[in-house]
């Protein structure tokens, strides 16, 4: 990360904006019993003046996942339900990088202009959430700084400077510490805070406590969850505390190191996103216990109830092999229950005979326990992946000789290969294949702690030998407090509600126009029904950011629906005609009804994910016809949009799906797409052949074979379409 990188990228306020909408899309105020859509209210810096891309448009929905409720009163010292709540959330971007957000949600008075425009009862309150946003996993620093901002705002003593001046100073001036080299000290008013990150040679930075994970789940449940995550199952965490959902999700992701979670990762789902649970692909998601899931199918989902130490699933999770399981269970018990494990030991000082983990675990849980727990799981990987480097073979499609690895393990452990179900599934996961690919990266190879641990174990060294023996004291970097021009010493700034940031003239005009329209409409037609957001007027009234958030929710919703419909289409009984089924009709409607192509590209994507999950691509005659017609529609509509990417992807999946014809010969869907007019468009060939040739150089033999087969089919298309062979030769460079 560049030296100009900062810990705090944005300070954001979310809550009830000037344009009020209920969660179901109805515009306007519909009473205090309704839940409302959260929106961006304020932020620093404004997106156009920041070093970083703007906060994701779905941020308000994520930080207030239950929506915004309107109340008749604010904080009540005698009612715990009115207390502010502090919790972290984690968002995942399209490239897999994470955004870390510290949140404080609280009841705050609704602005008077909004109350007047929507005729909300006076002195009403609504949920509001203030947030620090960062790409650095400095959970504790983000939380400490945010809580100090909150306390300053509502302290009777007030703060020495205007609150937004303090916020802007912190966001603009606190740099990200160099890993293992320096410690940054900074102040928020009179509170001194510090930040530092571990050296690159250590375990990846995890500024969280692992204690909540081991407190919520006993050892056996913890190992069961760990195995389910390692085998890339569909994981749903349940808790009535948002903090717990995020901390447990993050903790388990760190315990599978050096493997990385490669799939959907949403530690806190917003309440209206409960349908995402039906997605057939691997995911790790968290859902508040109060959200009803009776409308979704839980088949195959590993449901982890953190309140009741309970894990339920309809599919078996294969156990870890006995030797590694005994090691893992025993070491975790030593860490969690040292007094029980060591109850038979002599009460004298045995010096070097004492076990390191036993000595450190006698005190209350702290950072050293977090480190020891992570090291236990790394030692587990060193055992279960013992000798894996000898079986890396880049000539193979997966880059790994799995059969030889399993046979070698069978000889060493004297256990049959058939009993290694868990390991067999593990080495086929995307996480394991991603790890093998990263092993070829020079920087990853240098800092590969798993390899270092296996080497150290082979030499009889302590596991601690893989970490630097001496770490220099960090350099102290002190960020000077800001001097606000015009501020008078001793002058205090006090607030009864969280203040609004100074708005630009354009922002103020937009706010006034929105509220004026609302106020005018309510006076002219006070009894008129609200308009649903699904209509045309909605798009005109939403800001670009809101439109982007709305579109992102729509895309995810369509993809989840397509995945469920696709699987149900394949499961139709022998007596059911796919072409007349509800599933076929709904998929077709989703493909045809969207001018942006979300339905078509999403359908192709869910087929691709199904193939990657191990599906053998065999179709019945009826399924073959249905899939062929759906892909024809997707390709035709993509052609009208010049969407070469979707056409290319559709051709690739069609080249793998087949049925057996009357002569028992495999008949592929792709062969039946010859009649489409898209092949007459030269611009398509230009993009498609360029894609094929670029990707052949660094792909496996199987991939090149598939591309060769596709080129033959493409050539057939061109002959039938009477295209110029000179054009093909010029593209291929032959």
């Amino acid at each position: 990360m560049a030296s100009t990188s900062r810990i705090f990228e944005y300070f954001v306020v979310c809550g009830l904006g000037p344009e009020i909408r209920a969660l179901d899309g109805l515009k306007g105020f519909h009473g205090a019993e309704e839940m409302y859509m959260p929106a961006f209210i304020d932020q620093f810096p404004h997106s156009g003046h920041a070093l970083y891309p703007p906060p994701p448009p779905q941020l308000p929905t994520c930080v207030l996942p239950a929506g915004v409720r309107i109340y008749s009163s604010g904080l009540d010292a005698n009612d715990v339900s009115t207390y502010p709540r502090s919790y972290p959330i984690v968002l995942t971007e399209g490239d897999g990088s994470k955004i870390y957000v510290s949140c404080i949600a609280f009841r705050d008075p609704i602005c008077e202009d909004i109350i007047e425009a929507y005729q909300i009862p006076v002195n009403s309150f609504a949920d509001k959430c203030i947030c620090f946003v960062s790409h650095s996993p400095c959970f504790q620093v983000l939380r400490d700084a945010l809580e100090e901002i909150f306390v300053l705002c509502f302290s009777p003593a007030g703060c020495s400077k205007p609150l937004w001046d303090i916020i802007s100073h912190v966001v603009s001036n606190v740099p990200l510490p160099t890993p293992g080299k320096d410690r940054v000290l900074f102040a928020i008013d009179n509170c001194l805070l510090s930040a530092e990150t571990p050296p690159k040679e250590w375990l990846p930075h995890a500024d969280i406590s692992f204690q909540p994970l081991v407190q919520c789940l006993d050892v056996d449940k913890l190992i069961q969850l760990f195995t389910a995550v390692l085998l890339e199952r569909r994981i749903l965490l349940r808790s009535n505390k948002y903090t717990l959902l995020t901390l447990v999700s993050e903790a388990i992701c760190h315990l599978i190191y050096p493997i990385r979670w490669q799939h959907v990762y949403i530690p806190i789902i917003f309440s209206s996103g409960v349908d995402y649970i039906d997605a057939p692909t691997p995911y790790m998601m968290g859902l508040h216990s109060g959200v009803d899931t009776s409308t979704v199918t839980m088949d195959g989902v590993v449901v982890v109830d953190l309140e009741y130490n309970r894990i339920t699933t309809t599919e078996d999770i294969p156990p870890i092999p006995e030797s590694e399981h005994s090691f893992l269970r025993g070491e975790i018990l030593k860490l969690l229950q040292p007094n029980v494990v060591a109850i038979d030991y002599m009460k004298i000082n045995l010096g070097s005979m004492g076990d390191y983990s036993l000595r450190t675990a006698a005190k209350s849980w702290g950072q050293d326990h977090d480190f020891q727990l992570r090291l236990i799981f790394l030692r587990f990987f060193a055992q279960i992946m013992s000798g894996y480097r000898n079986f890396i073979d880049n000539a193979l499609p997966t880059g790994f000789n799995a059969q030889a690895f399993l046979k070698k393990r069978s000889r060493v452990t004297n256990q049959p290969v058939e009993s290694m179900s868990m390991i067999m599934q593990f080495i086929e996961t995307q996480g394991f294949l991603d790890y093998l690919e990263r092993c070829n990266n020079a920087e990853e190879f240098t800092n590969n702690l798993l390899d270092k641990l296996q080497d150290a174990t082979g030499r009889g060294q302590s596991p601690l030998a893989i970490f630097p023996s001496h770490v220099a004291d960090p350099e102290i970097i002190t960020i000077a407090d800001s001097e606000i021009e015009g501020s008078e010493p001793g002058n205090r700034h006090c607030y009864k509600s969280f203040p609004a940031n100074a708005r630009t003239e354009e922002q103020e005009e937009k706010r006034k126009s929105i509220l004026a329209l609302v106020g005018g409409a309510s006076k002219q037609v006070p009894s008129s029904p609200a308009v649903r957001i699904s209509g045309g007027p909605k798009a005109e009234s939403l800001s670009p950011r809101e439109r982007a958030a709305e579109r992102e929710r729509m895309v995810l919703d369509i993809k989840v629906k397509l995945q469920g419909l696709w699987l149900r289409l394949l499961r139709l009984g022998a007596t059911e005609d796919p072409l007349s089924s509800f599933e076929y009709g709904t998929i077709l409607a989703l493909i045809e009804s969207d001018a942006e192509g979300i339905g078509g590209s999403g359908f192709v994507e869910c087929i691709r994910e199904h193939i990657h999950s191990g599906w053998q691509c065999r179709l019945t005659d009826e399924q073959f016809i249905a899939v062929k017609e759906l892909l024809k529609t997707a390709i035709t509509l993509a052609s009208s949009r010049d969407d070469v990417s979707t056409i290319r992807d559709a051709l690739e999946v069609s080249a793998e799906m087949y049925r057996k014809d009357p002569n028992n010969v495999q008949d592929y869907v792709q062969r039946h797409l010859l009649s489409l007019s898209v092949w007459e468009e030269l611009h398509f060939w230009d993009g498609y052949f360029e894609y094929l040739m670029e990707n052949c150089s660094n792909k496996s033999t199987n991939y090149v074979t598939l591309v060769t087969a596709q080129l033959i089919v493409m050539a057939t298309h061109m002959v039938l379409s009477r295209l110029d062979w000179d054009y093909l030769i010029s593209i291929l460079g032959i």
Side-chain angles (χ1 to χ4, degrees), residues 264-542:
V264 173
Y265 181 71
I266 313 176
I268 301 176
I269 316 175
F270 48 93
S271 301
S272 57
V274 69
D275 287 344
Y276 299 166
I277 297 170
D278 276 337
T281 52
Y283 59 70
M284 192 189 310
M285 300 192 292
L287 185 65
H288 193 278
S289 300
V291 179
D292 179 30
T293 57
S294 61
T295 60
V296 294
T297 305
M298 289 292 186
D299 287 347
V301 179
V302 180
V303 182
V304 184
D305 193 323
L306 297 173
E307 255 89 50
Y308 297 98
N309 182 35
R310 186 168 58 209
I311 296 180
T312 57
T313 181
T314 58
E315 294 183 359
D316 290 337
I317 301 173
I320 293 173
E322 179 57 34
S323 58
E324 285 84 1
H325 181 273
S326 296
F327 162 80
L328 193 57
R329 192 175 191 279
E331 291 299 308
I332 296 173
L333 282 173
K334 285 183 188 179
L335 190 66
L336 300 182
Q337 304 171 7
N339 295 329
V340 175
V341 172
I343 198 167
D344 288 339
Y345 292 176
M346 296 174 62
K347 303 300 186 290
I348 61 173
N349 183 8
L350 298 179
S352 60
M353 295 176 63
D355 183 88
Y356 179 80
S357 64
L358 289 180
R359 296 201 310 272
T360 60
K363 53 189 179 182
S364 60
W365 191 278
Q367 291 184 355
D368 195 50
H369 295 81
D370 294 333
F371 171 76
Q372 285 297 323
L373 184 66
R374 298 175 71 186
L375 185 57
I376 288 169
F377 279 88
L378 184 62
R379 291 165 63 194
F380 160 81
F381 279 110
Q383 292 184 15
I384 206 164
M385 295 170 63
S386 176
Y388 81 97
R389 284 174 291 181
N390 298 325
F391 301 95
I392 295 177
D393 187 350
N394 292 324
L396 296 175
T398 62
F400 188 72
N401 192 332
Q403 291 302 316
F405 173 76
L406 292 171
K407 288 179 180 177
K408 173 66 180 301
R409 179 181 171 87
S410 177
R411 289 195 299 271
V412 172
T413 62
N414 198 29
Q415 297 291 325
V417 172
E418 293 75 19
S419 66
M420 303 178 189
S421 175
M422 180 267 169
I423 299 180
M424 293 170 68
Q425 291 185 32
F426 168 57
I427 59 182
E428 292 176 352
T429 61
Q430 288 190 32
F432 180 72
L433 297 179
D434 167 73
Y435 172 74
L436 293 178
E437 187 175 329
R438 286 186 286 121
C439 286
N440 296 324
N441 180 289
E443 183 177 355
E444 292 260 2
F445 180 77
T446 302
N447 295 322
N448 191 324
L449 291 180
L450 177 62
D451 287 357
K452 290 181 179 179
L453 180 57
Q454 289 184 336
D455 292 341
T457 303
R459 294 191 295 266
Q461 295 177 313
S462 164
L464 298 177
I466 67 175
F467 301 105
S469 57
H470 174 71
V471 179
D473 291 335
E475 177 186 352
I476 305 298
I477 298 177
T478 304
I479 307 302
D481 197 4
S482 61
E483 292 295 331
I484 307 301
E485 187 176 346
S487 61
E488 299 179 9
N491 188 28
R492 307 297 292 181
H493 299 265
C494 301
Y495 305 94
K496 292 183 178 179
S497 64
F498 200 88
N501 194 10
R503 302 187 187 103
T504 64
E505 187 175 329
E506 181 182 353
Q507 289 172 330
E508 189 63 34
E509 285 300 318
K510 180 179 179 182
R511 179 185 179 89
K512 287 180 178 178
S513 64
I514 291 173
L515 294 176
L517 286 172
V518 173
S522 63
K523 290 174 184 176
Q524 293 171 20
V525 282
S527 60
S528 61
V531 180
R532 288 204 171 270
I533 66 168
S534 55
K538 170 207 166 190
E540 298 175 4
S541 63
L542 295 182

Side-chain angles (χ1 to χ4, degrees), residues 84-157:
R85 291 171 295 127
S86 179
Y87 51 91
I89 69 165
V90 181
L91 306 178
T92 307
E93 297 190 284
D95 61 358
S97 62
K98 291 181 177 180
I99 299 176
Y100 302 91
V101 187
S102 183
C103 311
I104 295 180
F106 56 100
R107 297 183 182 186
D108 208 37
I110 301 176
C111 298
E112 291 182 2
D113 54 355
I114 293 179
I115 285 179
E116 181 180 353
Y118 287 93
Q119 299 180 8
I120 301 172
V122 294
N123 298 323
S124 290
F125 294 74
D127 291 313
K128 183 175 285 186
C129 187
I130 59 173
C131 318
F132 269 129
V133 181
S134 177
H135 273 82
S136 175
C138 298
F139 285 100
Q140 196 57 50
V141 177
L142 294 173
R143 176 170 180 157
D144 289 346
L146 189 66
E147 290 186 353
E148 188 59 30
I149 293 290
F150 183 84
V151 169
L152 274 178
C153 178
F154 294 104
S155 168

Side-chain angles (χ1 to χ4, degrees), residues 6-307:
R6 298 168 185 162
I7 295 179
F8 308 99
E9 297 177 14
Y10 286 96
F11 183 89
V12 176
V13 183
C14 301
L16 202 65
E19 188 169 44
I20 298 179
R21 291 183 291 139
L23 290 183
D24 64 1
L26 289 174
K27 285 186 178 181
F29 173 65
H30 304 286
E33 68 281 355
E34 188 72 61
M35 298 296 290
Y36 296 91
M37 187 71 71
F40 284 100
I41 298 177
D42 276 314
Q43 71 178 57
F44 180 87
H46 296 298
S47 298
H49 301 84
L51 295 172
Y52 305 95
Q58 73 272 25
L59 182 67
T61 308
C62 296
V63 301
L64 290 168
V68 174
R69 185 179 294 279
I70 293 175
Y71 309 91
S72 59
S73 61
L75 174 65
D76 181 351
N78 298 316
D79 185 356
V80 176
S81 68
T82 69
Y83 287 10
R85 291 171 295 127
S86 179
Y87 51 91
I89 69 165
V90 181
L91 306 178
T92 307
E93 297 190 284
D95 61 358
S97 62
K98 291 181 177 180
I99 299 176
Y100 302 91
V101 187
S102 183
C103 311
I104 295 180
F106 56 100
R107 297 183 182 186
D108 208 37
I110 301 176
C111 298
E112 291 182 2
D113 54 355
I114 293 179
I115 285 179
E116 181 180 353
Y118 287 93
Q119 299 180 8
I120 301 172
V122 294
N123 298 323
S124 290
F125 294 74
D127 291 313
K128 183 175 285 186
C129 187
I130 59 173
C131 318
F132 269 129
V133 181
S134 177
H135 273 82
S136 175
C138 298
F139 285 100
Q140 196 57 50
V141 177
L142 294 173
R143 176 170 180 157
D144 289 346
L146 189 66
E147 290 186 353
E148 188 59 30
I149 293 290
F150 183 84
V151 169
L152 274 178
C153 178
F154 294 104
S155 168
C159 43
S160 61
K161 306 177 186 70
L163 191 66
W164 279 96
D165 289 339
I166 295 174
I167 291 168
S168 63
H169 171 73
V170 171
V171 173
S172 303
N173 293 285
V174 180
L176 191 68
T178 305
K181 297 292 180 63
D182 50 46
R183 177 185 299 151
V184 176
L185 299 181
F186 64 99
I188 296 181
D189 212 51
N190 293 322
C191 177
L192 186 65
L193 301 174
S194 69
E196 60 183 313
T197 58
K200 291 183 178 180
E201 298 82 9
W202 285 70
L203 290 164
H205 185 32
D207 189 21
I208 60 171
S209 171
F210 289 72
Q211 187 177 20
L213 172 63
V214 298
Q215 281 182 327
C216 292
L217 300 177
D218 62 35
V219 176
D220 294 318
K221 297 294 191 306
L222 170 58
I223 294 175
Q224 188 180 11
L225 171 59
F226 168 77
T227 308
V229 173
L230 203 59
L231 299 183
E232 299 180 345
R233 298 298 179 86
R234 298 152 67 208
I235 314 291
L236 181 67
L237 303 175
R238 302 299 305 269
S239 172
N240 60 12
K241 297 176 179 61
Y242 292 143
T243 298
L244 207 52
L245 293 173
T246 297
L247 292 185
V248 169
S249 299
E250 281 292 294
I252 204 71
C253 284
H254 280 289
L255 291 184
I256 65 171
Y257 174 85
I259 307 301
R260 296 189 302 200
W261 180 256
Q262 297 288 297
H263 305 280
V264 173
Y265 181 71
I266 313 176
I268 301 176
I269 316 175
F270 48 93
S271 301
S272 57
V274 69
D275 287 344
Y276 299 166
I277 297 170
D278 276 337
T281 52
Y283 59 70
M284 192 189 310
M285 300 192 292
L287 185 65
H288 193 278
S289 300
V291 179
D292 179 30
T293 57
S294 61
T295 60
V296 294
T297 305
M298 289 292 186
D299 287 347
V301 179
V302 180
V303 182
V304 184
D305 193 323
L306 297 173
E307 255 89 50

